[in-house]
Amino acid sequence: MSQVFSFHGGIHPPENKKQSTRAPIGKAPLPKQLVLPMQQHIGGPADPLVKVGDSVLKGQLIAEPIGRISAAVHAPTSGKVVDIAHYPIPHASGLSGECVVIETDGEDRWIEHEGIADYKAIERAQLTEHIRASGISGMGGAGFPTDVKLHLGDNHIVNTLIINAAECEPYITADDMLMRERPHEIIGGIEIIAHLLRPSHILIGIEDNKTNAIHALEAAVKHCDLNIDIIVVPTKYPSGGERQLIKLLTDIEVPAGKIPADIGIVCQNVGTTSAVYRAVHKGEPLISRIVTVTGDAVRHPKNLEVLLGTPFSSLLEACDLRPEALSRLVMGGPMMGVTVDNDRIPVIKTTNCLIAATKQEMPPAPPAQACIRCGMCEQACPADLLPQQLYWFSKGREFDKAKHHNLFDCIECGACAYVCPSNIPLVQYYRFAKSEIRTEEREQQKADHARERFEARQARLDREAAEKEAKRKARAAEAAKAQEARKAAAAKPKEEAAATATAAPDIKQLKTAAAVARTKLKKAQKAFDEAAAGNSEGLAELEQALNEARLKAEEAEKALSAGSPAPAEGGDAELKQLKVAAAVARTKLKKAQDALKNAEDKGLEGIDKLRATVEALEQKADEAQKAFDAAQPADAAAKQESAPKETPAKAEPAAEPALDAKALKQQVSIMRTKLKKAETALEAAESDEERSSLQADVDDLKKRFDEATEAFNKVEKAKMDAAAQAGIDLKQLRIDAAMAKAAITKGERALKKAEADDERAQIEQELVAAQAKSDELHKTLSQYD
Ligand code: SF4
Ligand code: SF4
């Protein structure tokens, strides 16, 4: 015989249990409609698998559990689904919930089902899954899904399995009758649960006011191989509370904020063990339960086996309700139950009692008086709380303090309110406070989630921006590197050309020498021809002079061709094309780079594509630049190097005669413009100080303009002289070249306008001749300009 301990507080209200235990468990009539809420348990609601119009069979799965903590729902009888909508559900809140409504067909046809022949032969996980699929949840009141308590994971070792058979609340006798009539189901269910949990001890806690049930269980236990202790505890409310029963049977207190499993204890209600038995041995899901229908307003109080979804009205009718006597309809017991005003509410898995009370039986609560701080509530509280303090905190909306005083350890047993001389509905205050705290916590949780999401998004954006910036910098560094490489590649041939130019004889001198030699040759040829024609004397000397002149001319030509740079492949036109192509490629690259930067800054789509385009264009620009650099002649590079730049006036070097004439001409033009501007500014000067400063600038610019002009004239004169030596009037040659060019332009315009074929052919012929002349003139001119 195991020892019985005690718990703090508790009360002894009138039991009122005998009324409903006189008759055996009856069978509730089959109603026309069953209303099945999708949430009959703690956790997530089940999800309907049927639709309106579907025919269903008894035991058919109609809603599947969603998530770990949830329970399946099955059709309690055969019929047709006629509605899936929100209906009033049995809940303290009075709210409605999603329900599947089945119109019963009266045939009560089962779906094909069978139990597990040898549950010990299958995997424990498979067995637990079978229990989950049977939709079993705690039937003692809370409705926690049973499979969750049977599969606690490796972190929980179960030492003690406690079967709660206390049924301490007045009026309720459903468990009592179940134990009296079906003890083998309870013991069979315990065996299955024990097989899954492997506890060291199995204790059944039962109040001493259930003699018949105790006897029935004791008889059934004799046929069981397990060592089960039936512990009879004194009748005291609320000994059936989970924590109170654990204290009674083991003297262990479950710490605040913990669950029994944390200290190696699992509690199951006797009704739940019976449901587990039927599910495993018979293959029957949870579709019915025993409900105590009692109260003075029914003529025949009793316990009924009721299909889930049966409306209360149907049960009251079955127990012969006296409507005129009904004052209050209570769902559950008088201490923890909820008053309902709608008899269409259906029975669910946790409905254990329905009290149809008369006015005398449950008179309306007298008006609440002020708390007199008598402390009786504290003495009655089985959870060792300070109900009076909790009341003040709840009333004053000081929820933090209420929480700090372990409000959530309150099991809402109502013992405090029962003893309160001021008739204060204390439990209502606690329920209100709990609900407010839960709402606040939910809001806080939502806000936390929103904040976390925002912070995560912000972090992601920052990270992406940093990555973009790093990539951009890398690309910029790469582009700079490529630019450097291009510059180095371009500088190399220039350096080589400069070196070659330094080492090689002056091209212009060679040209001049060749032209002079050609002129002398011409003269010698002319003299020889005239002498030969006139049969003059000295022909032999003239012939020798001619040969010498020819030899010199050939040598000069050879020297010129050896010193001249190799013409670029394809000539000037191609060079221009390459230059244009390089510039176009650079422009395209710049545009693509701008588009990429814009897209990255604004986080637009298609960045990868743009990046690929930029890379491709970078390559093309590189190639175009290389092609241009390679095609550029060495002297062009030298020209570029020596070309005047828009540098500050004072830094400009004095013009040297060796400089390119074109560059010098340009420099003269720039200096002229600057000088004009400076003179205009000087005229507009208002103060003496400003005037003197500007005058200095004008003088300086004039000096440099004169120097540039002198340098240009010097170069120009040198060219004229060189040309003259070759018998060429450079001025006239330029005029002729310009006229030849004008003639071509004119001819091209005429060709565009010409309509007749003859006319076109004529103009084309003239154009060819003009082009040839122009080429010839420019070729000669290019030797000096
Ligand atoms: S029993 Fe009622 S009156 Fe007495 S202390 Fe508690 S709340 Fe106040
Ligand atoms: S309702 Fe709460 S505070 Fe009141 S006696 Fe029960 S456990 Fe204690």
Side-chain angles (χ1 to χ4, degrees):
M1 184 82 180
S2 295
Q3 193 182 349
V4 176
F5 302 92
S6 68
F7 62 88
H8 176 268
I11 54 173
H12 294 88
E15 292 180 12
N16 283 310
K17 288 181 183 265
K18 287 202 168 64
Q19 302 93 309
S20 57
T21 54
R22 289 185 196 117
I25 298 170
K27 196 170 179 192
L30 185 66
K32 283 198 175 114
Q33 279 192 344
L34 295 173
V35 180
L36 294 147
M38 294 296 97
Q39 182 142 34
Q40 303 183 34
H41 49 268
I42 285 178
D47 192 31
L49 293 172
V50 290
K51 56 185 186 305
V52 174
D54 283 358
S55 291
V56 292
L57 293 172
K58 184 171 184 166
Q60 181 179 328
L61 181 69
I62 59 167
E64 62 180 351
I66 297 297
R68 172 93 171 93
I69 302 178
S70 184
V73 179
H74 300 78
T77 186
S78 56
K80 193 187 223 176
V81 176
V82 292
D83 199 9
I84 299 174
H86 274 61
Y87 283 82
I89 55 170
H91 194 271
S93 65
L95 296 173
S96 57
E98 188 181 33
C99 300
V100 172
V101 182
I102 296 174
E103 195 171 77
T104 60
D105 59 11
E107 295 177 19
D108 211 27
R109 275 183 297 133
W110 266 99
I111 194 168
E112 205 171 302
H113 65 291
E114 60 178 350
I116 300 170
D118 183 2
Y119 66 82
K120 290 181 182 171
I122 64 171
E123 290 285 327
R124 284 197 284 174
Q126 203 182 335
L127 182 58
T128 310
E129 186 51 40
H130 179 80
I131 292 167
R132 177 178 164 84
S134 301
I136 300 172
S137 57
M139 298 171 77
F144 198 80
T146 303
D147 61 284
V148 180
K149 283 170 102 173
L150 298 180
H151 184 68
L152 295 167
D154 298 335
N155 293 337
H156 293 90
I157 295 168
V158 178
N159 289 318
T160 309
L161 171 63
I162 292 178
I163 305 301
N164 190 343
E167 197 166 50
C168 59
E169 195 162 357
Y171 283 91
I172 309 173
T173 58
D175 286 350
D176 186 3
M177 294 306 292
L178 178 71
M179 288 186 278
R180 290 188 202 191
E181 297 189 17
R182 303 174 192 167
H184 64 283
E185 286 188 4
I186 293 164
I187 301 302
I190 291 172
E191 285 176 333
I192 296 164
I193 293 169
H195 170 68
L196 288 168
L197 296 177
R198 311 273 165 95
S200 309
H201 309 284
I202 303 171
L203 310 173
I204 300 177
I206 184 166
E207 279 188 338
D208 58 9
N209 61 355
K210 301 177 183 62
T211 318
N212 294 341
I214 294 168
H215 290 154
L217 286 178
E218 283 173 346
V221 163
K222 284 178 188 162
H223 303 288
C224 174
D225 295 335
L226 295 171
N227 186 14
I228 300 173
D229 278 345
I230 299 171
I231 304 177
V232 180
V233 299
T235 298
K236 181 168 84 166
Y237 179 80
S239 59
E242 195 172 58
R243 288 168 185 250
Q244 287 66 43
L245 189 62
I246 290 171
K247 180 75 172 60
L248 272 173
L249 302 187
T250 65
D251 202 25
I252 296 171
E253 280 190 19
V254 181
K258 299 271 183 188
I259 59 170
D262 293 332
I263 54 169
I265 298 173
V266 168
C267 281
Q268 293 286 358
N269 170 266
V270 284
T272 313
T273 61
S274 167
V276 168
Y277 171 86
R278 291 167 87 102
V280 174
H281 286 282
K282 300 184 177 180
E284 292 178 9
L286 182 54
I287 54 171
S288 67
R289 65 157 299 140
I290 294 169
V291 180
T292 304
V293 185
T294 186
D296 290 348
V298 290
R299 290 193 182 87
H300 301 108
K302 57 185 160 191
N303 282 278
L304 294 169
E305 174 89 41
V306 185
L307 293 182
L308 302 179
T310 303
F312 290 168
S313 58
S314 180
L315 304 186
L316 295 171
E317 202 179 315
C319 293
D320 206 1
L321 175 74
R322 293 186 295 135
E324 70 286 357
L326 180 65
S327 162
R328 208 171 140 195
L329 188 60
V330 178
M331 178 177 68
M335 304 300 294
M336 297 179 76
V338 178
T339 301
V340 292
D341 54 6
N342 182 351
D343 65 2
R344 299 299 307 163
I345 289 174
V347 168
I348 60 170
K349 293 172 185 177
T350 53
T351 311
N352 54 5
C353 182
L354 192 60
I355 304 171
T358 60
K359 204 167 186 175
Q360 295 75 21
E361 199 178 6
M362 288 188 185
Q369 305 291 317
C371 169
I372 56 171
R373 300 179 189 272
C374 64
M376 287 173 72
C377 51
E378 188 269 329
Q379 288 167 26
C381 180
D384 261 339
L385 301 175
L386 298 171
Q388 173 205 354
Q389 284 302 118
L390 293 177
Y391 159 64
W392 287 114
F393 293 144
S394 302
K395 193 176 179 188
R397 300 184 69 89
E398 294 179 283
F399 300 132
D400 278 351
K401 288 184 182 172
K403 214 172 147 185
H404 189 66
H405 280 70
N406 299 322
L407 173 69
F408 282 91
D409 279 358
C410 168
I411 58 171
E412 300 177 19
C413 66
C416 52
Y418 184 80
V419 298
C420 177
S422 296
N423 301 310
I424 299 170
L426 295 167
V427 180
Q428 286 180 25
Y429 281 101
Y430 307 151
R431 282 180 183 157
F432 162 73
K434 283 181 184 178
S435 154
E436 288 294 293
I437 292 169
R438 285 190 187 113
T439 306
E440 266 180 25
E441 284 176 350
R442 267 200 300 275
E443 293 299 319
Q444 185 59 44
Q445 226 169 23
K446 267 193 212 166
D448 287 348
H449 281 161
R451 184 175 44 75
E452 279 166 18
R453 280 204 309 276
F454 172 77
E455 285 173 357
R457 181 177 178 275
Q458 202 56 38
R460 179 175 58 77
L461 290 178
D462 290 349
R463 196 175 56 246
E464 284 175 1
E467 282 171 8
K468 273 183 202 164
E469 182 60 16
K471 282 182 186 171
R472 196 187 61 74
K473 279 185 178 166
R475 279 199 306 280
E478 235 168 70
K481 212 169 149 189
Q483 182 78 5
E484 284 299 317
R486 276 199 299 276
K487 273 187 187 168
K492 206 174 171 188
K494 285 174 195 170
E495 283 166 10
E496 285 170 3
T500 311
T502 314
D506 189 312
I507 298 297
K508 280 176 189 168
Q509 281 181 1
L510 288 172
K511 281 180 181 173
T512 308
V516 170
R518 275 198 302 278
T519 309
K520 282 183 179 174
L521 176 62
K522 266 185 191 174
K523 278 182 182 172
Q525 183 70 51
K526 196 177 171 188
F528 175 76
D529 291 345
E530 281 172 3
N535 212 6
S536 308
E537 285 182 4
L539 197 60
E541 287 83 6
L542 285 172
E543 190 177 5
Q544 191 181 348
L546 177 61
N547 288 336
E548 282 173 7
R550 187 175 289 130
L551 194 66
K552 280 186 181 173
E554 281 172 6
E555 280 172 358
E557 288 295 340
K558 267 185 195 168
L560 179 60
S561 59
S564 293
E569 203 178 320
D572 284 352
E574 192 177 337
L575 190 63
K576 265 184 192 169
Q577 275 182 358
L578 290 171
K579 192 174 179 181
V580 170
V584 168
R586 275 199 305 277
T587 308
K588 281 184 180 175
L589 173 62
K590 177 81 175 54
K591 273 185 186 173
Q593 282 172 334
D594 288 348
L596 175 62
K597 187 172 181 303
N598 184 43
E600 285 179 340
D601 290 348
K602 292 178 180 171
L604 303 176
E605 287 182 359
I607 288 177
D608 289 344
K609 208 173 167 185
L610 281 171
R611 205 165 284 150
T613 308
V614 167
E615 281 167 11
L617 287 173
E618 275 174 355
Q619 199 179 340
K620 278 189 181 172
D622 275 355
E623 286 168 1
Q625 185 64 40
K626 276 181 194 162
F628 171 65
D629 291 345
Q632 227 175 351
D635 67 335
K639 265 187 196 178
Q640 275 187 4
E641 282 297 301
S642 61
K645 293 185 176 78
E646 274 291 315
T647 46
K650 282 179 185 173
E652 282 170 23
E656 292 293 331
L659 279 176
D660 182 272
K662 262 188 194 168
L664 286 169
K665 196 175 177 183
Q666 197 179 1
Q667 201 171 6
V668 168
S669 169
I670 291 167
M671 296 310 297
R672 187 185 291 116
T673 310
K674 283 185 177 178
L675 181 59
K676 267 189 185 171
K677 272 187 188 172
E679 284 171 344
T680 310
L682 179 63
E683 281 172 21
E686 289 176 351
S687 67
D688 287 348
E689 196 182 333
E690 191 184 358
R691 201 169 294 119
S692 89
S693 163
L694 288 169
Q695 183 62 59
D697 286 350
V698 168
D699 292 346
D700 182 48
L701 284 167
K702 191 160 189 323
K703 186 176 164 231
R704 283 193 282 124
F705 170 68
D706 290 345
E707 283 172 357
T709 309
E710 194 187 335
F712 171 69
N713 290 340
K714 222 172 171 182
V715 171
E716 191 66 7
K717 189 171 179 301
K719 286 200 286 186
M720 294 281 192
D721 289 349
Q725 274 189 15
I728 296 167
D729 183 345
L730 191 57
K731 226 173 182 178
Q732 188 56 48
L733 184 63
R734 282 178 184 150
I735 293 166
D736 291 346
M739 284 180 71
K741 209 169 179 183
I744 293 169
T745 311
K746 197 177 165 190
E748 283 171 344
R749 275 199 212 117
L751 185 64
K752 276 183 190 169
K753 287 180 187 170
E755 290 175 356
D757 288 347
D758 290 355
E759 190 187 2
R760 290 180 66 82
Q762 176 66 29
I763 294 170
E764 277 171 1
Q765 213 172 346
E766 286 169 6
L767 264 175
V768 170
Q771 188 67 54
K773 188 180 176 189
S774 173
D775 287 350
E776 181 67 28
L777 286 168
H778 278 92
K779 195 179 170 188
T780 312
L781 193 57
S782 69
Q783 293 173 5
Y784 303 97
D785 273 346

